[in-house]
Amino acid sequence: MLTIKRLLSTVLLVLIGLYTAAALTNIMHSIDVYNKADYICQINDISDDLYDAVQHFGFERGRVNVVLRDSGPVESMENNRVFIAKQRSEGEKALQNAITKINALKKDKFINIETSPVEFNTSVSTLRNAVDCEMKIPLTDRDNKLVARWFDTMTEFIDSLEELLFALTSDIKIIDGTSREFFTIKSKLLSLRNSAGPECSLVLSAYGTDGVLSDNDLIKVFKLEGVTSRLIQDIRLSARLLDNAALNMALKNFNTKYIDQFVPIQKSSLDAIFSKQKLPYEKQAYEKTMVDALNSIAPLMESAITTTNQYAMERLAFSKKSLSEAIFYSASFLTISIALFLYIKVKVSFRIKALSKTMSELSNENNQDVPYSSDSDEIGDMARSVQVFKENIVKRKEADAQILKDLEDRKVLLDTIHLQVWYQLDESTYGAVNDSHATFLGKSKKEVEFKRIDEIFPHEVAQKIIEKNRAVIKGRRTINTEEWVRDGNNETRLLSVTKHPKFDKDGEVEYFIYSAEDITERRQAEIFRNDVEMIIRHDIKSPLAGLHSLASLALQEDIGDGLRNVAPLILNSIQQVINLVDSSDKLYKMECGVYCPKRMPFELPKVLGNVLQTLHSICIHKKITISNKCKCNSPDSCTVFGEKFLIENMLLNIVKNAVEASVDGSVVEVTCYVLSDCSYISVTNPGVINEDVSKKIFTKYFSYGKEHGTGLGTYSARLIAKSHGGDISFSVSSENKTTFLIELPLIPHDKDSNVAKCQHSNIQ
């Protein structure tokens, strides 16, 4: 586990390591720069020795070339021999110094340059001995070929030294651009000295032979003249790039003495020698101008040497200073970093570890004293915060206990209430559910919670539920609906569902809260009650019509015995209305199949007589004749057990329908007879019920041929017959007549035989 202490230590160690690596890289770079600067100084020192050697050997080559061509007396050669010996000695000394320094660099593996060609040259030594002998004899006795061989051999020897110098100063990896330019201009000046000197000595020798030079010498002169011109251009370019004041001053003097004054003289002399004409100047005049011109090269070379040495030493001093600073700053920062690491470890890391341990103990309910709480720094602030945490931990425990109790109470409440409650994490996934909802689905809570809807319901049902959930998301408001849903017993139940979307801080739907109440029985009760009210409203019309008829009759008759005879009928009709109002609960129970009529005996003919009397006014209006063929052999044979009012209401509905369905002036036949233990009443009227109507004749709310029919007459009549243990059926005869047959038992009906479960087909 990465603790704060370990994290701080790791970060500091990584930073120290990174800086150390960077510091070492910087120091190594500074050392490399210093080594390069030191190498440049050493190379510059070697180049100065080679410079001196080439100059001295060049002077030796030029003076020997002039002397061997001179026709002067041998006695006058002593000064020349001394000069030549001195130049040779100084050149050898400078060359030996350079070789010794080069070998030292080779030993230290700084360079890998072959120096053997310049360490010993047999041809040069042999020629020097021959030249020394030739200078002691007259011109006429000298070897004419020796001059050319001497010049070529010495030139080759000097060129090898120049190549060595160039090899030393051309290492691109070590020498920077400025150093290279300084070395280049030094090399070019040395080459200029070694090309201009032989060129001038050859021309000067022509002044000793009246302008005559051999073809080989003439070719050499022109080659050297071309080399000299090219070198002068290169020197000017390098001087311009370096832009050094001392170098520019020496170059200005060289331009005056050599280019402006000597080059025109040299050119005219060469032209005369080439065209074999008389030389344009006296030998002394040419020699004086030539010496001044060649002498102007020396200050330029000295300036190049001085400025190169100065640059090399400045670079060495700067690199040494940079290296010292890099070492000093790296060591200082490393020391400070280590001190800071130790300080943070003591002042921060250890203290944070102690506070962390204290908090861990407190979180494990172990009492601990809080350290550093009196300190005035950030650690002290943290310690005081931990102290507050310690003081509040008891309150938190009490609050947690209360929250747990409240949550448990709510859980118990949700799991004990009849109302179904559940969450939807999204449109297709369940969240938590209470026991009521899980029980409704016929599953345990574990089988429902956090499951996909298509894992619980069939695919088609699941898709419909998901579409409804999406509608809640789209509507972004609470939705109340009533939905038919199949429960775990595969029964269709009517649920009142509330769908409430819960939004997050960004206004997006976070989850859904659903609640549902099973309102199947309540809706059935409402429907049943409405049906009963409609039946009562239907059935109450008949007695009211009878009352209206009797009242009209009472107004037409004189008050007397006639009114007295009618009064019982009025009272009977009024009683029917009262009974209808009181029968609303009875009809509801009959609809449910759980009502048992009161088993009271009554005579069927009397009830039928009341029905016919009630329909008297309708029959008069339609000129309908009711043929009553209800006759009994004895009073007991026509006695029926049940509720007289309900039986009378049943007969009234059937007979009234027959009267209303008959054409004016026709006859409706009512017949009673007894078979076995049942009494049968048939009501026949002219007319035929077609096949489509006959299939729905006893269906609730079905009405045919009536402007204001409710479709409840035949339905309620059959309901009453069945509640008494009987039934109603109908048939159509060949004479185009329709007969309704009512079957009623003559003996008391077994109350348990007609008790059944409430039928659901009327509400589904």
Side-chain angles (χ1 to χ4, degrees):
M1 179 179 179
L2 189 62
T3 61
I4 295 178
K5 175 185 175 182
R6 190 173 300 171
L7 178 63
L8 287 173
S9 300
T10 303
V11 170
L12 286 173
L13 288 175
V14 169
L15 290 176
I16 292 172
L18 290 175
Y19 180 79
T20 302
L24 289 175
T25 302
N26 187 36
I27 291 173
M28 295 302 295
H29 175 71
S30 299
I31 292 174
D32 183 60
V33 172
Y34 174 78
N35 287 333
K36 289 180 179 179
D38 184 60
Y39 174 78
I40 290 173
C41 288
Q42 294 184 61
I43 292 298
N44 185 60
D45 191 25
I46 295 172
S47 69
D48 288 345
D49 289 334
L50 290 175
Y51 220 74
D52 288 341
V54 170
Q55 284 195 85
H56 289 302
F57 292 146
F59 285 134
E60 178 190 5
R61 178 187 60 182
R63 183 61 60 93
V64 169
N65 183 62
V66 172
V67 168
L68 291 182
R69 295 173 184 272
D70 196 354
S71 58
V74 174
E75 293 79 8
S76 63
M77 294 292 181
E78 185 61 27
N79 290 335
N80 287 325
R81 285 196 293 270
V82 171
F83 176 81
I84 291 170
K86 181 180 180 182
Q87 297 300 322
R88 182 182 299 166
S89 175
E90 293 293 332
E92 290 290 346
K93 181 180 178 181
L95 178 59
Q96 189 59 46
N97 289 337
I99 291 174
T100 301
K101 294 174 183 177
I102 290 173
N103 289 332
L105 286 178
K106 290 173 64 177
K107 183 178 181 181
D108 293 336
K109 299 181 180 180
F110 280 105
I111 59 175
N112 184 20
I113 296 175
E114 183 63 44
T115 58
S116 58
V118 298
E119 291 176 357
F120 180 75
N121 195 316
T122 305
S123 299
V124 173
S125 298
T126 303
L127 280 175
R128 283 175 175 171
N129 294 329
V131 166
D132 291 342
C133 294
E134 288 293 309
M135 286 191 296
K136 295 178 181 179
I137 60 177
L139 179 63
T140 56
D141 297 333
R142 296 173 187 167
D143 185 2
N144 294 332
K145 297 181 179 180
L146 181 62
V147 176
R149 198 163 75 249
W150 163 259
F151 187 86
D152 292 340
T153 302
M154 286 301 294
T155 299
E156 182 180 354
F157 177 63
I158 292 172
D159 288 343
S160 68
L161 296 181
E162 290 183 357
E163 290 176 0
L164 176 60
L165 179 61
F166 178 77
L168 287 170
T169 59
S170 61
D171 191 345
I172 298 176
K173 295 180 180 179
I174 297 178
I175 301 176
D176 62 274
T178 304
S179 299
R180 188 176 298 108
E181 288 298 329
F182 275 120
F183 287 137
T184 298
I185 197 170
K186 285 177 63 176
S187 177
K188 297 292 183 182
L189 286 169
L190 187 60
S191 298
L192 175 65
R193 180 68 181 81
N194 291 325
S195 65
E199 175 194 347
C200 292
S201 65
L202 287 172
V203 175
L204 180 62
S205 65
Y207 272 93
T209 57
D210 295 329
V212 177
L213 285 177
S214 66
D215 292 340
N216 288 335
D217 289 339
L218 190 60
I219 292 172
K220 290 178 183 178
V221 169
F222 280 106
K223 284 184 177 179
L224 290 170
E225 192 270 340
V227 171
T228 301
S229 299
R230 186 175 68 254
L231 288 172
I232 291 174
Q233 293 178 358
D234 293 342
I235 291 168
R236 283 178 168 178
L237 178 61
S238 296
R240 220 171 19 246
L241 293 174
L242 291 172
D243 194 21
N244 182 273
L247 193 61
N248 288 336
M249 182 64 68
L251 183 62
K252 183 178 180 182
N253 180 61
F254 170 76
N255 289 335
T256 302
K257 295 289 183 69
Y258 193 95
I259 298 175
D260 296 340
Q261 296 179 4
F262 176 67
V263 168
I265 294 174
Q266 182 76 337
K267 183 175 177 54
S268 60
S269 298
L270 288 174
D271 291 342
I273 293 171
F274 180 74
S275 59
K276 296 182 180 181
Q277 295 179 2
K278 183 180 179 181
L279 293 172
Y281 303 102
E282 294 292 332
K283 179 181 179 181
Q284 292 78 7
Y286 173 81
E287 186 175 7
K288 182 179 182 305
T289 307
M290 179 195 73
V291 171
D292 290 342
L294 293 177
N295 287 338
S296 69
I297 298 176
L300 185 58
M301 295 176 68
E302 289 296 329
S303 176
I305 293 172
T306 301
T307 52
T308 303
N309 291 340
Q310 182 180 359
Y311 173 78
M313 295 306 296
E314 287 177 353
R315 176 171 175 175
L316 180 63
F318 177 78
S319 63
K320 185 183 296 184
K321 179 182 177 183
S322 299
L323 177 60
S324 301
E325 290 177 350
I327 295 173
F328 173 76
Y329 288 126
S330 299
S332 300
F333 183 83
L334 187 60
T335 302
I336 294 172
S337 299
I338 294 173
L340 180 63
F341 171 75
L342 297 175
Y343 176 81
I344 291 177
K345 203 170 182 60
V346 173
K347 287 294 186 179
V348 179
S349 183
F350 288 160
R351 297 165 76 195
I352 289 177
K353 181 181 179 181
L355 282 178
S356 176
K357 182 178 179 181
T358 301
M359 292 182 67
S360 177
E361 293 294 331
L362 290 174
S363 63
N364 292 328
E365 302 183 0
N366 297 325
N367 190 21
Q368 289 282 321
D369 293 332
V370 180
Y372 314 121
S373 58
S374 61
D375 293 353
S376 59
D377 55 6
E378 288 80 359
I379 302 296
D381 294 338
M382 293 174 61
R384 286 185 286 276
S385 299
V386 174
Q387 183 65 36
V388 173
F389 168 75
K390 176 183 176 182
E391 294 171 356
N392 291 337
I393 194 168
V394 175
K395 296 180 181 179
R396 188 203 66 187
K397 290 179 182 178
E398 295 175 353
D400 289 346
Q402 184 62 42
I403 290 172
L404 289 175
K405 184 178 181 302
D406 292 343
L407 289 175
E408 185 63 27
D409 292 343
R410 293 178 184 177
K411 184 176 182 299
V412 171
L413 177 62
L414 288 175
D415 285 340
T416 54
I417 61 174
H418 178 68
L419 186 68
Q420 301 178 39
V421 180
W422 70 95
Y423 289 84
Q424 290 276 164
L425 300 180
D426 52 45
E427 69 269 16
S428 59
T429 309
Y430 261 107
V433 303
N434 71 341
D435 285 341
S436 295
H437 185 61
T439 302
F440 178 82
L441 297 177
K443 299 179 181 296
S444 66
K445 290 174 64 174
K446 291 184 178 180
E447 292 176 318
V448 179
E449 290 182 326
F450 308 107
K451 298 293 190 303
R452 292 182 58 83
I453 292 177
D454 53 13
E455 296 178 24
I456 300 172
F457 298 96
H459 178 72
E460 294 182 357
V461 176
Q463 290 301 314
K464 291 181 180 179
I465 295 174
I466 292 172
E467 289 176 1
K468 291 178 180 179
N469 290 339
R470 288 172 179 167
V472 177
I473 297 176
K474 185 176 181 180
R476 301 179 64 80
R477 59 183 178 82
T478 300
I479 296 177
N480 298 309
T481 62
E482 292 183 359
E483 301 176 8
W484 287 99
V485 181
R486 289 191 179 275
D487 61 10
N489 297 323
N490 204 30
E491 293 184 6
T492 304
R493 309 292 295 177
L494 180 63
L495 300 182
S496 175
V497 184
T498 299
K499 305 174 183 179
H500 177 70
K502 175 66 172 59
F503 299 97
D504 58 19
K505 62 181 181 179
D506 298 325
E508 300 296 330
V509 176
E510 187 174 3
Y511 57 86
F512 308 91
I513 304 173
Y514 278 44
S515 62
E517 181 182 5
D518 191 339
I519 60 171
T520 307
E521 283 76 11
R522 186 172 69 190
R523 179 55 54 85
Q524 289 174 345
E526 291 174 355
I527 295 174
F528 291 159
R529 188 173 292 107
N530 184 59
D531 293 345
V532 170
E533 290 175 357
M534 293 184 68
I535 292 171
I536 292 174
R537 286 196 298 271
H538 171 270
D539 291 347
I540 204 171
K541 292 179 182 179
S542 296
L544 288 178
L547 287 174
H548 182 273
S549 176
L550 292 174
S552 299
L553 181 61
L555 291 174
Q556 294 173 5
E557 297 288 340
D558 295 332
I559 298 174
D561 293 337
L563 183 58
R564 291 189 181 93
N565 294 330
V566 175
L569 297 176
I570 295 175
L571 292 175
N572 181 65
S573 296
I574 293 173
Q575 186 62 44
Q576 280 186 311
V577 173
I578 294 172
N579 290 338
L580 281 172
V581 173
D582 293 338
S583 67
S584 59
D585 289 339
K586 297 177 183 179
L587 292 174
Y588 169 70
K589 292 179 180 179
M590 277 187 266
E591 182 105 33
C592 293
V594 296
Y595 180 71
C596 293
K598 295 179 182 180
R599 294 178 298 226
M600 301 297 294
F602 62 90
E603 295 181 6
L604 188 58
K606 289 184 178 181
V607 173
L608 184 58
N610 292 336
V611 171
L612 298 180
Q613 184 63 40
T614 301
L615 298 174
H616 178 70
S617 61
I618 298 177
C619 292
I620 293 175
H621 178 72
K622 296 192 65 175
K623 299 178 181 180
I624 299 295
T625 300
I626 298 178
S627 174
N628 185 1
K629 298 179 180 181
C630 188
K631 297 179 180 180
C632 300
N633 297 328
S634 66
D636 292 338
S637 63
C638 291
T639 300
V640 178
F641 286 86
E643 290 192 30
K644 178 182 178 182
F645 159 72
L646 293 176
I647 299 297
E648 184 176 338
N649 187 52
M650 175 192 69
L651 292 172
L652 180 61
N653 274 317
I654 297 300
V655 177
K656 181 172 178 287
N657 282 343
V659 171
E660 291 176 344
S662 301
V663 297
D664 294 351
S666 59
V667 177
V668 175
E669 298 177 358
V670 180
T671 304
C672 297
Y673 54 93
V674 177
L675 291 176
S676 185
D677 294 331
C678 290
S679 174
Y680 294 92
I681 306 165
S682 65
V683 180
T684 303
N685 64 280
V688 179
I689 299 175
N690 61 48
E691 184 177 355
D692 293 337
V693 175
S694 65
K695 292 180 181 179
K696 303 177 182 178
I697 193 67
F698 291 111
T699 303
K700 184 164 57 174
Y701 307 131
F702 178 75
S703 178
Y704 177 75
K706 296 181 181 180
E707 183 178 356
H708 300 291
T710 62
L712 294 174
T714 54
Y715 174 78
S716 63
R718 193 179 191 189
L719 196 63
I720 293 171
K722 285 188 174 184
S723 68
H724 283 77
D727 199 359
I728 301 177
S729 61
F730 77 95
S731 61
V732 179
S733 66
S734 58
E735 291 86 8
N736 293 329
K737 291 184 178 181
T738 299
T739 299
F740 281 82
L741 180 63
I742 301 171
E743 176 186 355
L744 292 173
L746 294 176
I747 60 176
H749 179 63
D750 185 359
K751 66 178 181 178
D752 296 328
S753 63
N754 69 333
V755 177
K757 292 183 179 180
C758 182
Q759 303 297 320
H760 303 302
S761 59
N762 59 330
I763 64 170
Q764 293 181 356

